[in-house]
Amino acid sequence: MNSLFIRVDDKQYGPFSHHELRGLAKKGKFNSADLVWHEENGEWVHAEEMNELRTIFTDDAAFEASESKIIAVGGGKGGVGKTVLTASLGVAFASMGRETVLVDADFGGANLHTVMGILEPEYTFFDFYTLHRETLNDIVLPTPVEQLKLISGACGTLGLANPKYSQKLRFIKQLRNIDADYVLLDLGAGSSYNVIDFFLAADEGIVVTNPDPMAIQEAFSFIKICLMRKLKRAFHGNRQVLQLLEQDEVSRPGRMLMSMSEIVAKIRENDERAADFFEQVLESHKPKLILNMVMKPDDVKEGIAIQAAAAELLSIDVQYLGFISYDNSVRDAVRELKPFLLRDPRSKAAQDLAKLVNIKLLGKSMFKSLWEKRKLKKVLLDEQQHYPDMDLAAKAPICSVKCFYWDDCEYQNGGHPCSVRHLDPIFRG
Ligand SMILES: Nc1ncnc2c1ncn2[C@@H]1O[C@H](COP(=O)(O)OP(=O)(O)OP(=O)(O)O)[C@@H](O)[C@H]1O
Ligand SMILES: [Mg+2]
């Protein structure tokens, strides 16, 4: 669902998501006669004239039916498991019958294709940009899992590490046109504008962290930076709000001396309407959180700590989806170039993920969820049988005198696959 700019009392706000507009409409703060920017026509129109806004003013069921499609997986710290979780989430969604496309949006270090066992992707984003492909559908690749497709990042090229703003806009628009029920975006580490913009452009964002203090700190800071960017964009025409957001107490990294609720109170002193909109953005912004690599029961509380801090300081509801255990089978799966959910559906990490997808992500009732879980396990065990084994050792170059390293090599074994260059297929991909 596209975000929209609105104009109320001659002031422009936004872009707001449909969820935010829905929230405002329900409270009577936004009505069908208010103005909305119609991008294609290039003019302001009344909200009631926009087809896509019809469900906002009607019943809940119609609105809820328009479920989220684009889900971004991000989080400040590198190496916390964003990519392996995205791949296995995709496997879970596809195995439950949802057409799913994984998108490698880590422009600096694309590796989602490797996790899926695709060493030489036929197309990547590089083709999309340089060959001026019409739509992202043109570079969608099949994977060994039925109903799961992949859009591979531009491997080995850093050229797209900083896409131009126009490229980003085009990309985000294109994501909505991908033929799928779900599009899962694997984002890079850090909190650069690229990462944040894609995280915010998605219908839902999942923050992944592990229980280490540094990762927890970065996850909270990521959540805060995303919220600040969203608020600054929504109120970029309102100097009072911007000044409040930019003041040292709020925007500096680390400790916040002024909470969002105090900011709302300050805005309300002069501008009721802006305060209502501000509150709505806070109310609708609900990033999800997954705690990965949990080693002991006590670790689980770190997720709750982030949730509590976000509620107290940022006045937002972080939805803690649950945790995935630390499990060596995840590491083995990475080495075998398979999503961990398929490598061993009975492993602890796979079971944790299945539980989390069923109950929290697809929002099933408990009863239906148990049934779905059984079904999911059956499908996964079946998929596991058919998932191709990637024998990297067999793909290694054959040891011979022609090898560049022959003279210095301690592992000469002429005529057999090289035992130290078994990763060559990945580097060359
Ligand atoms: N639950 C887990 N148990 C054990 N190891 C894990 C688990 N989750 C992830 N790992 C390991 O952590 C490594 C890093 O994971 P991954 O590449 O998905 O992180 P990332 O957040 O995408 O990193 P980057 O920010 O660099 O893209 C993987 O190689 C995997 O072996
Ligand atoms: Mg990654």
Side-chain angles (χ1 to χ4, degrees):
M1 290 181 277
N2 288 319
S3 295
L4 296 163
F5 287 98
I6 63 171
R7 194 145 151 194
V8 178
D9 298 340
D10 261 350
K11 279 189 195 149
Q12 183 181 317
Y13 301 93
F16 290 126
S17 68
H18 287 203
H19 272 282
E20 285 157 348
L21 293 180
R22 166 82 169 163
L24 287 169
K26 275 184 125 176
K27 291 180 199 144
K29 312 276 182 194
F30 177 70
N31 63 58
S32 54
D34 283 327
L35 294 172
V36 179
W37 181 248
H38 193 302
E39 204 178 321
E40 268 165 38
N41 293 3
E43 60 178 349
W44 292 100
V45 299
H46 296 291
E48 63 205 353
E49 297 169 56
M50 296 276 282
N51 260 350
E52 59 176 288
L53 287 186
R54 257 179 315 167
T55 54
I56 281 176
F57 302 106
T58 55
D59 61 312
D60 284 339
F63 183 73
E64 297 310 332
S66 53
E67 65 179 314
S68 308
K69 173 173 175 178
I70 304 177
I71 302 175
V73 180
K77 189 132 173 40
V80 291
K82 297 180 289 296
T83 302
V84 294
L85 281 180
T86 307
S88 281
L89 278 173
V91 170
F93 285 4
S95 302
M96 292 170 91
R98 274 63 161 193
E99 287 288 340
T100 305
V101 177
L102 300 171
V103 176
D104 195 338
D106 184 349
F107 296 111
N111 58 1
L112 189 55
H113 58 286
T114 314
V115 173
M116 291 303 299
I118 299 172
L119 299 183
E120 292 176 42
E122 198 179 339
Y123 301 113
T124 69
F125 277 126
F126 191 71
D127 301 295
F128 180 65
Y129 288 117
T130 53
L131 304 178
H132 302 292
R133 296 279 169 173
E134 278 297 301
T135 90
L136 284 176
N137 287 312
D138 290 345
I139 57 162
V140 169
L141 303 170
T143 76
V145 179
E146 214 186 321
Q147 296 192 302
L148 183 63
K149 310 262 172 7
L150 169 75
I151 294 185
S152 173
C155 38
T157 44
L158 293 175
L160 289 177
N162 286 308
K164 286 187 217 131
Y165 190 62
S166 58
Q167 283 177 320
K168 258 194 293 190
L169 283 185
R170 183 168 160 235
F171 175 72
I172 289 167
K173 248 189 170 161
Q174 289 274 354
L175 286 177
R176 299 208 173 273
N177 297 330
I178 292 180
D179 302 326
D181 298 318
Y182 290 106
V183 174
L184 300 184
L185 289 185
D186 174 28
L187 300 178
S191 318
S192 66
Y193 277 159
N194 286 336
V195 175
I196 302 282
D197 286 345
F198 289 129
F199 191 82
L200 291 176
D203 301 319
E204 301 205 16
I206 301 176
V207 176
V208 178
T209 181
N210 64 31
D212 298 342
M214 265 163 64
I216 294 289
Q217 198 179 357
E218 283 197 42
F220 183 75
S221 145
F222 180 82
I223 291 170
K224 180 179 151 191
I225 293 169
C226 283
L227 179 65
M228 294 296 285
R229 179 134 171 102
K230 187 167 189 175
L231 287 166
K232 281 184 186 171
R233 263 202 333 226
F235 293 90
H236 77 281
N238 187 319
R239 197 133 35 98
Q240 187 217 355
V241 176
L242 275 191
Q243 271 172 359
L244 279 168
L245 286 174
E246 274 160 12
Q247 64 191 350
D248 187 37
E249 286 87 343
V250 191
S251 62
R252 72 174 170 180
R255 209 177 145 67
M256 283 177 73
L257 298 179
M258 192 185 225
S259 70
M260 284 295 170
S261 57
E262 288 168 301
I263 294 184
V264 174
K266 278 213 178 270
I267 299 172
R268 201 169 287 289
E269 284 169 15
N270 304 310
D271 191 339
E272 281 279 331
R273 208 74 201 256
D276 289 339
F277 289 166
F278 197 97
E279 265 180 345
Q280 188 58 48
V281 174
L282 298 179
E283 199 181 308
S284 312
H285 187 66
K286 294 181 177 177
K288 295 178 173 5
L289 178 71
I290 295 180
L291 191 65
N292 187 26
M293 306 196 203
V294 163
M295 289 192 168
K296 48 186 197 304
D298 214 30
D299 285 345
V300 176
K301 70 177 185 338
E302 302 300 344
I304 300 165
I306 292 189
Q307 202 178 24
E312 192 185 324
L313 296 170
L314 306 176
S315 301
I316 60 169
D317 178 15
V318 168
Q319 300 182 328
Y320 182 25
L321 296 181
F323 67 90
I324 312 281
S325 304
Y326 183 92
D327 188 336
N328 280 327
S329 79
V330 177
R331 295 200 169 263
D332 294 340
V334 169
R335 271 186 221 115
E336 290 171 27
L337 312 181
K338 283 181 186 166
F340 71 85
L341 196 64
L342 275 185
R343 183 194 172 267
D344 185 0
R346 293 190 179 93
S347 68
K348 188 83 189 72
Q351 301 264 331
D352 290 342
L353 187 70
K355 190 161 86 185
L356 189 146
V357 168
N358 268 298
I359 299 175
K360 298 289 180 63
L361 265 177
L362 296 179
K364 298 288 165 201
S365 70
M366 231 14 190
F367 176 76
K368 205 166 169 206
S369 154
L370 278 175
W371 187 82
E372 288 261 26
K373 197 172 160 194
R374 256 185 235 136
K375 194 170 89 179
L376 174 62
K377 203 162 165 188
K378 193 168 166 298
V379 179
L380 289 175
L381 288 169
D382 188 50
E383 297 264 16
Q384 184 195 28
Q385 305 291 318
H386 298 105
Y387 205 86
D389 277 325
M390 187 72 66
D391 188 354
L392 273 180
K395 285 184 169 241
I398 299 297
C399 178
S400 88
V401 285
K402 288 187 187 151
C403 174
F404 181 80
Y405 305 104
W406 176 267
D407 288 337
D408 303 315
C409 186
E410 294 174 38
Y411 304 96
Q412 282 176 11
N413 191 13
H416 295 279
C418 173
S419 58
V420 284
R421 290 181 59 195
H422 58 292
L423 296 180
D424 268 20
I426 294 181
F427 301 146
R428 274 189 274 117

